[in-house]
Amino acid sequence: MIFFFYLTFYYFDGRWILNGIVAIIQSPVNLMTMLTVYLLSFCLKALAWKWYLHGRTRFSTCLLGVLYSLFVNHLLPIKAGDLVRMKIMSTRDGISGEDAAHSVIVLRLIDMICLIVFSIVGFCVLGIDFQIPVLLIMIGCIIFVLSMVVVVQFFPAFLKRQLELCKRAFSGRNGRLIFIAVAFSWILECAVLYGTVIIYNGNLSILEAVFANSVTVSGQIFQVTPGGIANYESFLVFALGLFGFSIQEGYTIAIVTHAVKFFFSYAAGVMAIFIYPIPFKTLLSWSRVRGVREK
């Protein structure tokens, strides 16, 4: 947040940002291509969710859940969209609350695995100097081990059910398809960044765009602003700076691409509400759920 305020104070140029937005609007083919590919990335996420549940739910329900989640995450300062996503799955297709919550959490973990792998591969392939935060990894491993000890000791039946669900979901070809769909969805998601850089006549390869997008989204694990405002811009400026973009250029591209993503999120939310209306008060109540209970 502090870095974002620093960037805004020193590098905000309303005229350049406005020119970029106007250039995107005046390039309807590029804009529609970006938004279409971006939409396809969420379709793949929905398809992976359907496969994870072994086809027990409709693709339309999965897509509605993903789009509602995106919409809510760009409305509220915390990532409450996944709670809404779980409730839509439970109420629309009758999937148990535990299965819905389990599937969403596991798919989020797969998201992070793919983003981390893309980031590490990008660092290596693109020849970027980096250091592995050994202390941070050790702390993470210790927390994970302690958490597993607590779960095994006090919630063995719960752990057994979750492992059985995972085993069933990832068995055979199904597991490979889930990982491929999620990984490819993140590759497609960089279309907004790649297309914006092209409109700005910048030089960024698809591999570099995938890397920059992966690093940026990884930095939005925790957010305190709608849509991760500040997190997104700060991390993208850092990522683009690795490829020779000035701070001014990186900041402007970050603002414009985030604006396009906000537009898409709200448009997708309107479309989802039109197809499957949910009262706004109900959405807010679902976003405040502290646990998932069976009916």
Side-chain angles (χ1 to χ4, degrees):
M1 292 287 292
I2 293 173
F3 185 59
F4 173 70
F5 290 138
Y6 168 83
L7 291 172
T8 302
F9 185 79
Y10 284 102
Y11 296 100
F12 181 85
D13 187 333
R15 185 177 59 182
W16 204 12
I17 292 173
L18 180 61
N19 289 341
I21 294 175
V22 170
I24 289 178
I25 295 174
Q26 291 177 344
S27 306
V29 175
N30 286 341
L31 178 60
M32 289 306 300
T33 300
M34 285 192 296
L35 295 180
T36 300
V37 176
Y38 195 47
L39 175 61
L40 287 176
S41 73
F42 292 103
C43 290
L44 282 176
K45 286 179 172 62
L47 189 59
W49 195 12
K50 176 180 172 66
W51 285 338
Y52 191 86
L53 291 167
H54 273 279
R56 289 188 289 146
T57 182
R58 291 170 286 177
F59 173 76
S60 60
T61 299
C62 295
L63 184 57
L64 283 170
V66 169
L67 295 181
Y68 259 113
S69 175
L70 182 70
F71 176 56
V72 171
N73 284 341
H74 283 75
L75 278 179
L76 302 180
I78 58 174
K79 284 196 172 183
D82 285 338
L83 295 173
V84 175
R85 180 176 168 182
M86 297 171 193
K87 293 294 289 186
I88 289 175
M89 179 63 69
S90 299
T91 56
R92 192 167 191 259
D93 279 3
I95 301 297
S96 70
E98 183 177 352
D99 283 6
H102 167 92
S103 63
V104 170
I105 292 170
V106 171
L107 285 171
R108 280 302 190 189
L109 290 174
I110 296 175
D111 283 337
M112 287 310 304
I113 290 172
C114 290
L115 290 171
I116 290 171
V117 169
F118 285 152
S119 298
I120 292 175
V121 170
F123 275 121
C124 296
V125 173
L126 298 172
I128 300 170
D129 291 332
F130 69 100
Q131 292 181 341
I132 299 176
V134 178
L135 180 60
L136 188 61
I137 293 175
M138 289 177 62
I139 294 173
C141 290
I142 292 172
I143 293 174
F144 174 76
V145 171
L146 291 176
S147 301
M148 290 305 299
V149 168
V150 171
V151 172
V152 171
Q153 183 69 29
F154 297 102
F155 308 100
F158 171 80
L159 179 61
K160 183 179 179 181
R161 287 198 306 272
Q162 307 314 309
L163 292 177
E164 287 176 351
L165 288 171
C166 280
K167 183 178 179 181
R168 191 187 318 148
F170 290 119
S171 60
R173 177 168 166 265
N174 199 61
R176 293 191 294 273
L177 288 175
I178 292 170
F179 269 97
I180 290 172
V182 173
F184 199 56
S185 74
W186 286 112
I187 293 175
L188 293 182
E189 189 164 322
C190 76
V192 175
L193 172 60
Y194 184 71
T196 302
V197 172
I198 288 177
I199 290 173
Y200 269 101
N201 297 316
N203 184 22
L204 191 71
S205 69
I206 294 178
L207 177 59
E208 290 169 343
V210 172
F211 167 81
N213 185 72
S214 299
V215 170
T216 302
V217 177
S218 298
Q220 294 178 266
I221 299 175
F222 304 105
Q223 66 181 53
V224 293
T225 57
I229 295 174
N231 290 47
Y232 179 92
E233 286 78 7
S234 299
F235 275 90
L236 187 54
V237 169
F238 159 74
L240 291 177
L242 297 173
F243 304 119
F245 287 82
S246 68
I247 296 179
Q248 176 77 68
E249 292 170 335
Y251 177 81
T252 304
I253 291 171
I255 292 292
V256 174
T257 56
H258 213 183
V260 172
K261 289 188 175 184
F262 263 86
F263 167 77
F264 176 90
S265 301
Y266 293 146
V270 170
M271 182 178 67
I273 291 172
F274 178 78
I275 297 172
Y276 185 62
I278 301 175
F280 189 68
K281 287 185 177 180
T282 303
L283 274 180
L284 289 180
S285 68
W286 286 357
S287 69
R288 290 193 293 265
V289 171
R290 292 295 178 266
V292 179
R293 297 182 179 89
E294 297 285 355
K295 288 186 178 180

